[in-house]
Amino acid sequence: MHNTSQSQELVVSEALALEHGLTAEEYGWIYEHLGRTPTWTELGIYSVMWSEHCSYKNSISVLKTLPRDGEVMLVGAGDENAGLVDIGDGLAVAFKIESHNHPSAVEPYQGAATGVGGIHRDIFTMGARPVCALNSLRFGPLTSPRVRYLFDGVVRGIGDYGNSFGVPTVGGEVYFDPAYEGNPLVNAMSVGLVKVGRTSSATAASVGNTIFIVGSATGRDGIHGATFASEELSEESEARRPSVQVGDPFTEKLLLEATLEAIRAGVVAGIQDMGAAGLTCSSCEMSAKAGVGMHLNLDLVPVREPRMSAYEMMLSESQERMLISCAPGREADLGAIFGKWELHAVAIGHVTGSGRVTVEHQGRMVADVEAEHLVLGGGAPVYKREARRPAYLDAVRAAPIPPDVEPGQVAGSLRALLAAPNIASKRWVYEQYDTMVRTGTAQGPGTGDAALVRLKGSRKALAVTTDCNGRYVYLDPRRGGQIAVAEAARNVVCSGARPLAITNCLNFGNPYKPEVFWTFKEAVAGMGEACRALGTPVTGGNVSFYNENPEGAVFPTPTIGMLGLVDDLDAHGTGAAFVATGDLVVLLTPGAWAWCTSVAALGGSEYLATVHGMTAGSAPHLDLREEVAVQAALLRLIRAGLVRSAHDVSDGGMAVCLAEKAIFSGGHLGARVDVSAPATCRLDALLFAEAQSRIIFTTESRAWPAVEAALSGMGVRAQVIGRVWEGAFEIAVAGETVIKEAVPNLQAIYDHAIAKTLGIPSAAD
Amino acid sequence: MNVGVIVFPGSNCDHDAYHVVRHVAGFPARFIWHKETALGDVDLVIVPGGFSYGDYLRAGAVARFSPIMSRVTAFARNGGLVLGICNGFQVLCEAGLLPGALLRNADLRFVCRWVHLRAERTDTPFTGAMKPGQVIRVPVAHGEGNYFASDATLDRLERDGRTVFRYCDEAGAPTRRANPNGSSRNIAGIINREGNVLGMMPHPERCAESVLGGVDGMLVFRSLMAWAAARHLPAQHAAA
């Protein structure tokens, strides 16, 4: 790491620019625009602003194809730090998901912790108070000691930061696959609440305003984090450990309270958090947004270490800092508010009319750059990368599917699936998170398809979930992208909510590889199609490229964070668990759905992966019109008070869906299910295939006529397949029993599989 | 009954406690900032959960030096009611208002889950609405909840009937399996000798409304309401 003081400023050359991750062509544009050789500090500023992480230069042309408008949108994608959605009653929700993959790969604890801190700052910098968090995690197989170290560190990092910060972690997902070995994915989501009209904006606002840096002092941590995020991991990545920031949730908690108090008091004209590229990104983006300039004097910046250079101060990613453009005449009030919370609030500059960010340090002008030339939508480069369909697609689709499971092996396959880390309970993970602080969590992790967070003083609740099956996207990027959105919406609907909007975190490999870029384009196209069909606009998110290790790219993983709204929590809030003995078990499918789909139905299934060790076939069946019909039908039933529990058929297929409904009941309730499929059907496809748009719900038996009446003409099919009882978990196919297991036994397998794999005695043992 | 909820930098269950006291139980309530030097007119002080000062040193170790804590101590010594929840329990131990200490959980991991507690004393202001030996279901959420004291202290606590809550199974047996953090003798909450200062690791304020999955925590607040009513303290808040 460069820690040269100002007097030893490096001489800028094209070679140094290349070292900073810029291309020769980009360096040429910078030289041309400045009309001179950039200073070392300016080169640093350009390199981070034009990194993929800040500029989206390789992705923006594709992202623009996503639907970004809708009647619920108050602030659109890219306009502010996060999207803003109207939920009625004068309230709005700000929410966003973001990756912290590369930091977590080399320093899992701090990498994950600062990912959580960063995404919360994106929310409260808008004036919204975070009310819940989710996270979507992907690792290699738990059999690898390195993976176990990463998994443990990431979970501790998320827990320690979020628990102390005081925002509940209410949901998320954890997947394991060899494709993520060496390059784990750590995506963190925050959801905040704000009164409409009380939000703040990431703008420098007006010429003459004083610029304050608030929060923590600036240190040497995290320098070039944004650039680090924009290159592939390699053997040398370990040396990037100093690029990982260090989190301080206590300071973040103080910063949250002080920031919200300052915004409420009207002393904030504009504000942006300092995440990637710290002072550089916040000053340039706030200036460009207002069409103004900014002068900064770095000698005034509170620092943790002596002799920091201008380059280091501009690029530091020290956490828990904000840049504020102060409302004129309110400087003393701003100081008093942050002083109460024992935080720095130091005037370091002012807004100018020049359109340029000028930086002085130790009496010298070290940077003088045009804000607009640096930012996305301004002078930052935009590339259309070459896309080429990858050859692996033909190979995986041609792979022969093994013969059908024997009836005697069905129960064993179910047990194996319940013990598979992708399906098994994530209790070991989420019990390390405070899932209940703020007393809003009406449905936390573990027993429902989406988390439900009540809104105090209202009948409403937020429904939130994250979803993506990377294996599907790998096998068919377009349909996989559609399914990620469709499943997220289905989960929200199963919990009793209307889907409103999504945020997304697009985790892909190196975009300069045409095959990788093709998967990116296809997946985004699929997401867009599903968002349009379901009426859920994209409110923003984040792109994370270069998720590769020496073996190749990770599964293309466009993680979807979905927001839904429950209008009446008491009446509509719905869990997944069986509720009462005697209830009917009903399979809801598209009208055209048939039991006997072809053997191709097994494609991409957890069954193939767990039982046969195969990632093969194509993504499972999805037709967006069918999906829309099924979701509308379930929501109608829930609102009519006809649904006792609902759970969508996803990983592990119908058998796992049913088993989970029994397990979630606390092991008290089982079911007797008889699937009256023709004898020619493959058993494994029937029970374990993952065709989309299917939901299993339960209803009181006397409500059945009302269910049938409500669904008439909706283009869906509802079949009673069984009954809840206090006995065992039984599935028969055409009258022949293939599964008969005591529910507590299934529960024991499901609950303890992950702790067992880790070799940790489960707390409940 | 007027309730004051202490707010340290890093408290994060302060609003949860305030919400239950004010909007569910219906007491007049206010926040008391840690730098205040007087408690004002209060009958019950709640030291809430959270991570006071980040708990980077040892949970509660810094908070006890806050200006307000000397007032809380004086208030308690005068017989005022003090309820410490989670981090608040840790602070009360650090401040010497309760014996013992809360160590890191035995498995060194934070734990958040529902547990069962056995109410062993029902003649306190905090537990009067419970039946002797009643098993209640309440969440825990802590990294340092492993109650520790010398054997002599533990013997004395038990002899004097000051172990108000013990972790137990559904049937009320204080088994090892039911103990989420390795606490000595499954102790989840204790009271001082005078019976006016209660510290407990589990969170009654998180289970006082059915929408949150349980209402047993309301028994603590209902006990306090009955205690206040018997003493003709101002009962319902006008806006409740």
Side-chain angles (χ1 to χ4, degrees), chain A residues 152 156 163-164 166 248-250 253 341-342 428 431-439 442 454 569 763-764, chain B residues 9 11-12 16 19 33 35 51 53-54 56 108-114 139 141 177 205-206 209 211-212:
Chain A
D152 178 58
R156 281 178 192 274
N163 298 346
S164 174
D248 175 1
F250 171 60
K253 166 76 171 156
W341 294 97
E342 296 177 19
W428 184 83
E431 283 192 348
Q432 297 186 54
Y433 303 152
D434 190 336
T435 54
M436 305 179 204
V437 63
R438 294 189 53 77
T439 57
R454 67 155 166 175
L569 178 60
Chain B
S11 291
N12 63 29
D16 299 351
H19 170 76
W33 182 239
K35 281 189 174 164
F51 288 72
Y53 297 92
Y56 290 132
L108 305 181
R109 290 179 189 279
F110 189 94
V111 61
C112 175
R113 75 160 95 101
W114 291 83
R177 227 178 119 131
E205 81 283 13
R206 293 189 181 187
E209 296 163 274
V211 68
L212 301 177

Side-chain angles (χ1 to χ4, degrees), chain A residues 95 179 181 183 187 192 203 234 262 286 304 359 472 494 508 541-542 718 763:
Chain A
F95 72 117
E181 181 133 25
N183 195 130
N187 297 174
T203 174
S234 63
M286 287 170 76
R304 291 180 195 165
V359 182
Y472 296 171
C494 282
F508 288 79
N542 142 264

Side-chain angles (χ1 to χ4, degrees), chain A residues 195-220:
Chain A
K195 285 186 178 145
V196 174
R198 296 285 184 84
T199 49
S200 49
S201 178
T203 174
S206 317
V207 174
N209 284 8
T210 305
I211 297 294
F212 282 82
I213 188 168
V214 303
S216 288
T218 299
R220 288 198 170 101

Side-chain angles (χ1 to χ4, degrees), chain A residues 331-343:
Chain A
E331 293 77 7
D333 299 326
L334 185 99
I337 290 168
F338 283 85
K340 173 187 162 191
W341 294 97
E342 296 177 19
L343 293 170

Side-chain angles (χ1 to χ4, degrees), chain A residues 494-715:
Chain A
C494 282
S495 300
R498 174 168 51 99
L500 292 183
I502 71 159
T503 175
N504 62 81
C505 188
L506 307 175
N507 308 272
F508 288 79
N510 182 342
Y512 289 80
K513 295 180 181 168
E515 288 81 4
V516 167
F517 200 71
W518 187 87
T519 64
F520 175 71
K521 275 179 75 169
E522 284 289 298
V524 172
M527 284 168 49
E529 287 159 359
C531 285
R532 272 183 279 269
L534 293 159
T536 51
V538 179
T539 65
N542 142 264
V543 177
S544 172
F545 281 137
Y546 306 98
N547 289 294
E548 307 221 356
N549 58 46
E551 312 296 311
V554 298
F555 281 161
T557 309
T559 307
I560 304 300
M562 176 76 70
L563 172 73
L565 187 67
V566 183
D567 291 328
D568 185 338
L569 178 60
D570 281 343
H572 305 159
T574 306
F578 287 142
V579 172
T581 186
D583 284 356
L584 301 178
V585 179
V586 185
L587 175 65
L588 178 68
T589 65
W593 191 77
W595 289 113
C596 269
T597 43
S598 72
V599 61
L602 282 169
S605 63
E606 185 65 33
Y607 169 78
L608 276 190
T610 295
V611 176
H612 295 289
M614 294 176 71
T615 296
S618 186
H621 170 81
L622 174 76
D623 177 310
L624 286 170
R625 276 166 307 182
E626 293 177 352
E627 181 71 42
V628 169
V630 165
Q631 291 188 19
L634 186 74
L635 202 53
R636 176 181 287 187
L637 295 178
I638 286 175
R639 287 177 169 172
L642 298 169
V643 174
R644 298 267 276 231
S645 72
H647 189 20
D648 79 317
V649 177
S650 61
D651 304 4
M654 208 162 62
V656 165
C657 175
L658 285 161
E660 285 177 341
K661 289 177 76 70
I663 290 166
F664 295 165
S665 76
H668 305 304
L669 295 171
R672 163 84 192 172
V673 168
D674 195 337
V675 179
S676 54
T680 50
C681 283
R682 270 183 73 124
L683 260 183
D684 54 6
L686 198 61
L687 296 171
F688 304 122
E690 300 174 9
Q692 299 294 296
S693 315
R694 293 183 295 163
I695 294 166
I696 294 176
F697 71 90
T698 57
T699 184
E700 287 179 87
S701 48
R702 64 187 165 88
W704 178 244
V707 169
E708 284 193 298
L711 295 183
S712 148
M714 292 202 79

Side-chain angles (χ1 to χ4, degrees), chain A residues 39-127:
Chain A
T39 67
W40 184 38
T41 303
E42 288 169 341
L43 180 69
I45 291 172
Y46 266 100
S47 73
V48 291
M49 290 304 294
W50 284 10
S51 71
E52 182 64 39
H53 194 85
C54 293
S55 74
Y56 294 84
K57 60 189 171 189
N58 292 307
S59 57
I60 189 67
S61 64
V62 176
L63 297 178
K64 281 190 168 161
T65 64
L66 289 168
R68 294 187 289 181
D69 297 319
E71 54 191 43
V72 297
M73 296 295 298
L74 296 173
V75 168
D79 292 346
E80 294 289 351
N81 282 290
L84 196 66
V85 171
D86 189 349
I87 57 163
D89 304 333
L91 289 174
V93 171
F95 72 117
K96 189 179 180 187
I97 188 166
E98 206 164 68
S99 63
H100 237 218
N101 304 338
H102 286 191
S104 305
V106 297
E107 198 348 89
Y109 179 88
Q110 292 295 348
T114 53
V116 172
I119 196 64
H120 281 314
R121 274 196 306 284
D122 270 334
I123 299 308
F124 70 81
T125 192
M126 294 186 66

